[in-house]
Amino acid sequence: MHVNNKSSVWAIWLSLISNILLTIIKIIIGLIFHSEVLLADGVHNAGDIIATIAALSAMRISKLPADEDHPYGHGKAEVLGSGFVAFILVTAALYIGYHAVAALFHEPSAPSLIALIASAVSVVWKYLLYVYTVRIGRSTNSKSLIATAHDHLADVYASLAAVVGIGLAFVGKAYDIHWLAYGDAAAGVIVSLLVLRLGIEMAKESFDILMEKTVDQHMLSQYTALIEAVPGVKRIDRVRAREHGHYILVDARISVPGELTIQQGHDISRAIKKSIMDQHSDVDEVLIHLNPWYEN
């Protein structure tokens, strides 16, 4: 297995183990000390376990070589995994929001120092996981790993809001400011909105890739410049490119002198493909269609 693949799989396993431990810690402490935001955060982490397993499965499938039924490879498995993570985030956001709003209409429980410490530890733990996972995800262009990293970032927001909310509850208790006692529940509402926004953004990105939205214009301009630099290319009729999970597929229609032999046209196509793939390691395939060009 390639070193980058090993790093990706290790990052996913580390995420899975972390989510399992954090889920157990948060739910137990949230139940014992009646912390709405910590309990909701724990349930969010429980959803993360499912999402991480999905990401791991998608990553393994996406690395399978192309076959007769999937001639373009299995890269979109990662996009499906990313979409599933987005679904988990949106579901978790709605769950957290519902219970947080409901808690605002009940007498708040006394704040817990243990719950505060658990939330603070989660902030640091999840932030370190986010930095580590997103770095590997971007270096390998792994959609499911980047989605997992964003999931960690959502947990950072959630745990940070829990720290603030529980902290405000302590301040309210110390200075007899009753409304601050609702800080825990109010933080849960804020968390739900942050997680919901992140989930929707991830879902949109996955949908765009599944609908084969073109890569951004900056990338197309780079491909165009490389094609134009190849000797024998007289005109570029069309250049298209789309993401296929962790890699990109490029296809172009170009015009070359009509009097060239098939071998000469083939050599130009190979030169274009080599130029693009040498400069862009995330491009897995370049398809070239040749059109004849004649002097007017």
Side-chain angles (χ1 to χ4, degrees):
M1 184 183 290
H2 194 277
V3 173
N4 284 341
N5 292 348
K6 286 184 177 179
S7 298
S8 298
V9 172
W10 168 244
I12 285 290
W13 275 108
L14 184 60
S15 298
L16 179 60
I17 294 171
S18 296
N19 283 329
I20 292 173
L21 292 175
L22 287 173
T23 296
I24 295 172
I25 292 170
K26 290 178 183 179
I27 289 181
I28 291 177
I29 295 178
L31 287 172
I32 293 175
F33 297 98
H34 306 287
S35 172
E36 292 293 336
V37 68
L38 192 62
L39 182 59
D41 197 13
V43 173
H44 177 203
N45 278 135
D48 293 343
I49 295 173
I50 301 173
T52 306
I53 292 174
L56 179 61
S57 300
M59 185 180 297
R60 290 184 179 276
I61 294 173
S62 72
K63 303 301 180 185
L64 294 175
D67 53 35
E68 186 175 342
D69 293 328
H70 306 89
Y72 295 103
H74 299 76
K76 282 190 178 179
E78 287 211 64
V79 184
L80 293 173
S82 177
F84 187 75
V85 173
F87 172 76
I88 292 293
L89 283 176
V90 171
T91 303
L94 295 176
Y95 177 88
I96 294 171
Y98 172 79
H99 285 277
V101 171
L104 291 172
F105 296 93
H106 296 87
E107 188 65 24
S109 303
S112 164
L113 180 60
I114 295 179
L116 181 63
I117 294 173
S119 297
V121 169
S122 180
V123 169
V124 177
W125 191 341
K126 279 291 188 172
Y127 181 73
L128 293 175
L129 273 176
Y130 164 73
V131 172
Y132 174 69
T133 308
V134 78
R135 179 174 59 83
I136 295 177
R138 287 172 179 169
S139 66
T140 59
N141 198 29
S142 170
K143 299 300 178 185
S144 58
L145 196 56
I146 292 174
T148 300
H150 287 162
D151 199 11
H152 291 323
L153 186 59
D155 292 337
V156 172
Y157 294 150
S159 298
L160 188 59
V163 170
V164 174
I166 299 172
L168 288 175
F170 270 110
V171 173
K173 180 180 179 181
Y175 294 95
D176 197 25
I177 305 175
H178 183 68
W179 62 271
L180 284 181
Y182 289 92
D184 187 308
V189 175
I190 296 173
V191 168
S192 67
L193 294 175
L194 291 172
V195 175
L196 181 62
R197 178 183 176 184
L198 185 61
I200 291 174
E201 289 176 350
M202 287 175 55
K204 181 180 180 300
E205 181 183 358
S206 298
F207 183 77
D208 284 343
I209 295 175
L210 289 173
M211 293 300 293
E212 300 202 336
K213 179 182 177 181
T214 185
V215 299
D216 63 70
Q217 189 59 45
H218 175 68
M219 296 300 298
L220 286 177
S221 297
Q222 291 186 33
Y223 302 148
T224 299
L226 290 171
I227 294 172
E228 289 175 337
V230 174
V233 174
K234 293 297 185 179
R235 184 179 65 228
I236 298 177
D237 300 313
R238 185 172 66 183
V239 178
R240 298 185 299 183
R242 64 192 188 276
E243 290 190 61
H244 202 81
H246 59 280
Y247 51 87
I248 294 175
L249 303 177
V250 179
D251 64 81
R253 293 185 180 182
I254 64 170
S255 293
V256 298
E259 64 273 11
L260 295 183
T261 65
I262 293 176
Q263 181 62 54
Q264 289 172 317
H266 175 69
D267 292 341
I268 291 174
S269 296
R270 289 191 62 184
I272 292 173
K273 179 175 181 178
K274 185 177 187 305
S275 178
I276 293 176
M277 295 183 70
D278 284 350
Q279 295 295 319
H280 298 275
S281 59
D282 55 348
V283 174
D284 187 71
E285 183 62 83
V286 180
L287 303 174
I288 305 295
H289 175 83
L290 298 180
N291 292 322
W293 178 89
Y294 298 98
E295 289 278 2
N296 292 329

